[in-house]
Amino acid sequence: MVELWSFAFVFMAGLITALATGLGAIPFFFVAEVSDRWNVTLWGIASGIMLSASVFGLVLEALGTYIQVSLGGVSVSPIPQRQLLLLGVGLLSGVVLVYVAHDLIEAADVDPREYAEADFKKLVLILGVLTIHSFPEGVAVGVSFADLGLAGGTQIFGFVVPLLAIFMTIAISIHNVPEGVAISIPLRSMGVANWKLVWWSVFSSLPQPIGAVLAFYFVRVAREFLPAGFGFAAGAMIYLVLTEFIPEALAVGKGLPGDGRRELLGGVAAGVLAMIPLAFV
């Protein structure tokens, strides 16, 4: 039986990531708009963080008994087919979820890049899209807490918290900042007050604590399916980066020298380097 305090702890971690989305609205308190150069860089950093967290955190954790990464190199033991199958099914399921969400977006005929011309109906759809996308990120947080209260973690407020959960919570929180910027741009163009920018940014990520609790419950009561849970979270995040984050960054950077590719690659590199320590924990 999973203790009630565990659910509360995981919910709070998911809520922290949701609140971090509100930080994306903070720049609008001081400037009229965020430059395209910084916007592209932020999307790049978010992409690098998500890719690193998916590979070095979730996938390696799913195969942690068989793949060990250290400063000395990588050692690989024979991986059971069932483990690989569960991981593969999880990865595919994560991709399918995001693909279906993306398909719904296309069916609604909404172009999130048309921020300046967004009317109220489009704005609602944009917020809905980002809300749907936030759920898999909550799942990633919840799955990473699979070993909460068990040996091998670090003490936080008297609880034994897995290191992966700490890294994943930080990674998703940082990644949420540029999403907050993306939400605030159309709202600002419509004259929405600054504090309401923060509220709507946080609102779009509220499914994250819910997804975190549901995923945590699943992996705790069905631990034999843990590799599938890790794969699901990783597949969703990787597919999001490749089909949403990077194309969005390139669209924003169209007017920059080199179409913003330098800023995007620099941001991705910074995000990857920031999360590299995951591989050596």
Side-chain angles (χ1 to χ4, degrees):
M1 190 70 180
V2 186
E3 300 88 347
L4 185 60
W5 68 263
S6 299
F7 288 116
F9 199 94
V10 174
F11 182 86
M12 288 305 299
L15 186 60
I16 288 172
T17 65
L19 292 174
T21 314
L23 296 176
I26 299 301
F28 293 94
F29 282 76
F30 307 100
V31 298
E33 60 182 18
V34 177
S35 70
D36 288 345
R37 187 180 301 276
W38 270 108
N39 214 342
V40 172
T41 302
L42 283 171
W43 280 111
I45 292 173
S47 298
I49 286 172
M50 296 287 277
L51 291 173
S52 296
S54 297
V55 176
F56 297 137
L58 295 168
V59 173
L60 284 183
E61 187 70 19
L63 304 174
T65 309
Y66 309 98
I67 300 179
Q68 297 294 330
V69 180
S70 66
L71 292 174
V74 180
S75 60
V76 182
S77 305
I79 303 174
Q81 287 188 350
R82 183 177 182 277
Q83 199 91 350
L84 289 173
L85 179 62
L86 285 172
L87 177 60
V89 169
L91 286 166
L92 182 60
S93 299
V95 170
V96 169
L97 174 70
V98 179
Y99 177 82
V100 170
H102 186 273
D103 203 42
L104 291 174
I105 298 168
E106 293 298 321
D109 193 27
V110 179
D111 184 359
R113 298 179 184 87
E114 293 179 359
Y115 290 130
E117 293 79 26
D119 56 20
F120 182 75
K121 185 179 290 186
K122 279 192 174 182
L123 179 59
V124 170
L125 287 171
I126 291 169
L127 286 169
V129 166
L130 292 171
T131 300
I132 292 172
H133 283 179
S134 75
F135 186 80
E137 295 152 11
V139 169
V141 173
V143 170
S144 69
F145 274 91
D147 291 331
L148 179 65
L150 305 180
T154 186
Q155 289 278 344
I156 297 180
F157 301 123
F159 301 114
V160 180
V161 182
L163 288 173
L164 175 63
I166 297 172
F167 278 113
M168 194 58 60
T169 302
I170 294 173
I172 299 297
S173 296
I174 295 174
H175 139 267
N176 278 351
V177 175
E179 284 202 354
V181 174
I183 292 168
S184 298
I185 289 173
L187 290 168
R188 186 56 180 264
S189 71
M190 296 174 65
V192 175
N194 288 336
W195 285 110
K196 288 186 178 180
L197 297 182
V198 176
W199 157 246
W200 283 114
S201 296
V202 173
F203 177 81
S204 73
S205 291
L206 286 181
Q208 288 182 9
I210 298 172
V213 169
L214 292 176
F216 171 71
Y217 178 74
F218 174 78
V219 297
R220 286 300 285 262
V221 300
R223 290 189 66 83
E224 65 271 21
F225 295 105
L226 189 55
F230 282 126
F232 177 84
M237 291 202 298
I238 292 171
Y239 190 75
L240 265 177
V241 168
L242 297 180
T243 62
E244 299 293 334
F245 294 1
I246 291 179
E248 176 65 26
L250 292 173
V252 172
K254 277 292 184 184
L256 299 175
D259 291 334
R261 289 186 176 86
R262 183 177 60 184
E263 288 78 7
L264 175 59
L265 291 175
V268 171
V272 170
L273 289 174
M275 296 302 292
I276 282 293
L278 273 175
F280 304 106
V281 172

